[in-house]
């Protein structure tokens, strides 16, 4: 395949809470992840507990030099990571930032610059400071908009000229399904009204637009993207009612891109608010702020689902928290995520046609159980299944570029094994680099190259020509 443009940003993506560890070092405060030992859908604990793998994660905090060198060996052009908000503002509401936290990311940037790797940085990746969750009720509180803006301004100023590509909120559409993980709201989903959820989402949307405004004021070179979960929804049959259900479910994702790109709430969402009696407080000032639209649209892509107007007649649960009904034409991963490379081409075309903004695939990959074996030059993993998954998706990315889609880059999720967000397991691995750590917390934390390491290096070196259609 030769369709990938020159300068295409190949790389990998991570999040602070899933790699850094050092949860209480360097002046860091607690984040919501430090009290979530069981993953995104399990209840939280009062404080950090020993069974929480994220407290140590893969200790990127102390291994970043070695890890970035391995990314450079694969030829990464970009590396996506998040800044842990509670490293910079330990409780979230301070005026003065924590210098030690800022200095850590300076050192990470030094390493990336040494290797010519472009940083791609998420401001908030499922790691709201716990203080903001417990003292303010998380994103239900309007006060978080100003705390977030202060945090964003602090890091935009500090890293001016060093970081050009920024993402505001990871998977911002996840608040509706996972209020604690994505919104710092420690109330079970079932006890929250739709109005409360949408109010929290609204605060994040305003905060995102405000950060975009500040970023552009501080440095017009800054490129700001929104970040959404992309899940194509197919009608399970040609029955127009199934197709309509699929379209309406798609609006749950589209709404977030529409607001970020067009600067206002779409009509279909306002209709839903009216019909369901959802009332949220949107001020005139909010409306003005929302007009600060993004420079590009980024998204994660793992799976597709089907939708039916009569889901009770089908097997449901094909897409984990996403819901939907199972697509009988697709295989699923060990965690039930339906593998659909062509769906990625569909998403890319749909998004490009809808928004005409450059796109960035900032997560894609296969979570799988790996077995470490002895190889000619040390322990390794024969992860042909991962190579196949990534190859097949990238072939479809190439097709979409041929279709005319403008795509800035592609970062695989978890280029180095990390702690899973949904299940908090180590054994759900995505990496090209194996990390010796187990679900019970045992392991040496040593890094080993998997077979896919050399495969990805070749893909990058040939700018996609080595992919097999
Ligand atoms: C995305 C998140 O939803 O999917 C990541 O942005 C997460 O944080 C990734 O890790 C894969 O999900 P999981 O549950 O397999 O870790």
């Amino acid at each position: 395949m030769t369709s990938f443009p020159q300068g295409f940003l190949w790389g990998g993506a991570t999040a602070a809470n899933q790699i850094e560890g050092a949860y209480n070092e360097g002046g860091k405060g607690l984040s919501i992840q430090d009290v979530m030992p069981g993953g995104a859908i399990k209840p939280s604990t009062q404080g950090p507990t020993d069974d929480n793998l994220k407290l140590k994660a893969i200790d990127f905090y102390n291994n970043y030099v070695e890890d970035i060198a391995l990314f450079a060996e694969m030829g990464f052009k970009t590396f996506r990571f998040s800044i842990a908000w509670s490293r910079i503002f330990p409780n979230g509401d301070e005026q003065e930032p924590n210098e030690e936290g800022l200095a850590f990311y300076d050192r990470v940037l030094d390493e990336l610059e040494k290797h010519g790797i472009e940083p791609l940085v998420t401001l908030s990746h499922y790691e709201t400071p716990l203080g903001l969750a417990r003292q303010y009720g998380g994103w239900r509180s309007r006060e978080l908009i100003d705390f977030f803006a202060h945090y964003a301004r602090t890091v935009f100023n500090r890293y001016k000229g060093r970081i050009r590509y920024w993402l505001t909120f990871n998977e911002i559409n996840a608040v509706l399904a996972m209020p604690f993980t994505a919104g710092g709201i420690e109330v079970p989903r079932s006890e929250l009204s739709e109005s409360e959820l949408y109010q929290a989402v609204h605060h994040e949307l305003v905060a995102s637009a405000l950060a975009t405004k500040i970023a552009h004021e501080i440095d017009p070179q800054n490129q700001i993207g929104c970040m959404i979960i992309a899940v194509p929804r197919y009608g399970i049959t040609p029955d127009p009612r199934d197709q309509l259900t699929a379209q309406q479910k798609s609006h749950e994702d589209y709404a977030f891109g529409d607001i970020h790109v067009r600067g206002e709430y779409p009509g279909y969402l306002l209709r839903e608010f009216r019909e369901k009696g959802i009332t949220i407080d949107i001020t005139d000032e909010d409306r003005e702020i929302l007009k600060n639209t993004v420079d590009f649209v980024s998204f994660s892509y793992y799976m597709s689902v089907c939708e039916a107007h009569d889901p009770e007649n089908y097997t449901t649960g094909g897409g984990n928290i996403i819901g939907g009904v199972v697509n009988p034409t697709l295989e699923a991963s060990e965690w039930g995520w339906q593998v659909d490379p062509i769906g990625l081409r569909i998403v890319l075309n749909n998004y490009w046609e809808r928004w005409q903004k450059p796109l960035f695939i900032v997560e894609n990959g296969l979570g799988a159980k790996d077995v470490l074996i002895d190889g000619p030059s040390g322990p390794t993993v024969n992860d042909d299944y991962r190579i196949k998954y990534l190859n097949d998706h990238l072939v479809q990315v190439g097709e979409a570029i041929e279709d005319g889609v403008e795509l800035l880059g592609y970062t695989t999720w978890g280029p180095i094994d990390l702690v899973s967000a949904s299940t908090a397991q180590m054994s759900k691995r995505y990496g090209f680099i194996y990390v010796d750590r187990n679900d019970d917390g045992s392991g040496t934390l040593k890094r080993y190259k998997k077979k896919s390491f050399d495969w990805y290096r070749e893909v990058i070196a040939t700018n996609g020509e080595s992919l097999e259609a």
Side-chain angles (χ1 to χ4, degrees):
M1 298 211 64
T2 54
S3 45
F4 293 86
Q6 285 308 312
F8 188 75
L9 290 169
W10 298 96
T14 60
N17 71 87
Q18 294 172 265
I19 59 167
E20 284 181 5
Y23 81 101
N24 60 357
E25 287 176 46
K28 178 180 168 295
L30 294 180
S31 91
I32 55 165
Q33 292 292 340
D34 298 324
V35 296
M36 293 173 63
I41 32 235
K42 296 265 173 65
S44 51
T45 50
Q46 199 43 44
T49 48
D50 288 344
D51 57 344
N52 187 345
L53 292 182
K54 283 165 274 185
L55 304 185
K56 195 167 169 195
I58 60 161
D59 200 20
F60 178 81
Y61 190 76
N62 292 301
N63 281 280
Y64 65 95
V65 174
E66 179 198 336
D67 293 339
I68 291 171
L70 286 167
F71 300 153
E73 198 182 323
M74 275 187 280
F76 276 24
K77 311 290 180 214
T78 188
F79 173 52
R80 175 180 173 218
F81 62 98
S82 69
I83 295 177
W85 184 352
S86 64
R87 256 189 215 295
I88 311 302
F89 291 100
N91 199 62
D93 57 359
E94 295 88 344
Q95 266 311 305
E96 291 304 314
N98 169 35
E99 174 56 32
E100 255 192 283
L102 288 167
F104 169 64
Y105 296 105
D106 270 325
R107 296 197 295 277
V108 169
L109 292 172
D110 289 344
E111 289 308 303
L112 293 175
E113 277 163 24
K114 202 158 94 188
H115 294 290
I117 298 175
E118 178 92 45
L120 166 63
V121 175
T122 318
L123 288 169
S124 180
H125 192 129
Y126 293 165
E127 50 212 358
T128 305
L130 188 63
L132 298 184
R134 294 212 163 140
Q135 284 163 257
Y136 296 86
W139 280 96
R140 273 187 301 176
S141 162
R142 187 171 271 281
E143 284 172 282
L144 263 70
I145 298 174
D146 286 340
F147 296 140
F148 184 78
H150 182 52
Y151 157 58
R153 181 176 278 110
T154 304
V155 295
F156 291 151
N157 276 323
R158 173 74 171 221
Y159 307 121
K160 183 175 173 181
R162 303 193 80 186
I163 301 173
R164 195 154 83 98
Y165 292 100
W166 297 89
L167 310 178
T168 52
F169 290 89
N170 182 65
E171 300 189 333
I172 190 165
N173 40 345
V175 185
L176 298 175
M178 304 187 299
F180 191 45
T181 305
I185 304 168
E186 210 174 13
V187 176
R189 166 80 177 78
S190 53
E191 290 169 28
L192 289 163
S193 68
E194 296 271 291
S195 298
E196 285 172 305
L197 282 169
Y198 273 105
Q199 187 68 58
V201 167
H202 175 69
H203 293 149
E204 286 198 7
L205 287 163
V206 174
S208 178
L210 189 54
T212 304
K213 179 173 187 278
I214 296 167
H216 288 152
E217 283 165 2
I218 289 176
D219 186 350
Q221 297 290 313
N222 275 331
Q223 296 289 298
I224 312 298
C226 57
M227 198 298 201
I228 54 184
I229 310 178
V231 180
R233 325 244 180 187
Y234 310 125
I236 187 85
T237 75
D239 183 330
R241 290 171 299 176
D242 291 335
Q243 299 299 325
L244 182 65
T245 307
Q247 187 186 52
Q248 288 172 334
K249 286 297 234 177
S250 303
H251 282 158
E252 287 177 13
D253 302 336
Y254 282 144
F256 295 85
D258 285 349
I259 296 166
H260 273 106
V261 171
R262 297 177 180 151
E264 59 185 18
Y265 276 65
Y268 57 80
L269 189 56
L270 296 174
R271 174 179 182 171
E272 192 183 327
F273 287 178
R274 280 195 306 275
E275 292 182 352
K276 288 188 175 168
I278 297 171
T279 49
I280 64 170
D281 173 34
I282 304 178
T283 66
D284 288 343
E285 194 191 346
D286 292 348
R287 287 198 180 83
E288 275 310 303
I289 293 171
L290 286 178
K291 289 182 187 152
N292 293 283
T293 54
V294 289
D295 302 300
F296 65 96
V297 173
S298 81
F299 62 90
S300 60
Y301 178 82
Y302 294 93
M303 70 187 103
S304 64
V305 296
C306 285
E307 300 290 350
H309 75 283
D310 53 350
E312 61 283 1
N313 293 327
Y314 297 92
T315 312
T316 51
N320 198 322
I321 61 151
I322 303 296
V325 303
V326 172
N327 185 334
T329 72
L330 297 177
E331 308 263 304
S333 80
E334 290 173 81
W335 281 265
W337 294 14
Q338 296 178 110
V339 178
D340 180 11
I342 292 175
L344 181 50
R345 179 178 178 183
I346 293 172
V347 161
L348 285 162
N349 273 283
N350 282 348
Y351 284 10
W352 174 246
E353 286 163 13
R354 192 174 183 98
W355 295 315
Q356 296 280 297
K357 287 272 181 197
L359 303 176
F360 209 140
I361 302 167
V362 297
E363 287 186 32
N364 175 233
L366 177 70
K369 289 195 176 120
D370 288 338
V371 179
L372 204 59
I373 55 163
D374 285 329
S377 43
T380 186
V381 176
N382 269 337
D383 54 347
D384 290 313
Y385 38 90
R386 182 168 294 110
I387 292 172
K388 177 168 170 39
Y389 180 102
L390 294 172
N391 178 83
D392 293 355
H393 282 76
L394 279 167
V395 166
Q396 295 302 322
V397 172
E399 295 290 350
I401 292 171
E402 286 292 323
D403 293 334
V405 170
E406 193 180 329
L407 186 64
L408 295 169
Y410 172 90
T411 57
T412 64
W413 177 249
I416 181 165
D417 291 345
L418 39 69
V419 184
S420 154
S422 61
T423 66
Q425 294 168 297
M426 265 311 294
S427 55
K428 191 178 187 191
R429 297 175 183 274
Y430 287 86
F432 305 114
I433 301 159
Y434 185 94
V435 178
D436 179 23
R437 193 164 192 226
N438 307 307
D439 287 344
D440 63 5
S442 62
T444 60
L445 288 178
K446 277 201 176 136
R447 276 68 165 146
Y448 302 110
K449 296 174 192 170
K450 304 180 194 176
K451 185 175 178 184
S452 54
F453 185 99
D454 288 334
W455 172 84
Y456 198 41
R457 183 174 54 190
E458 186 66 11
V459 171
I460 297 175
T462 61
N463 206 26
E465 272 187 58
S466 63
L467 293 167
E468 289 178 21

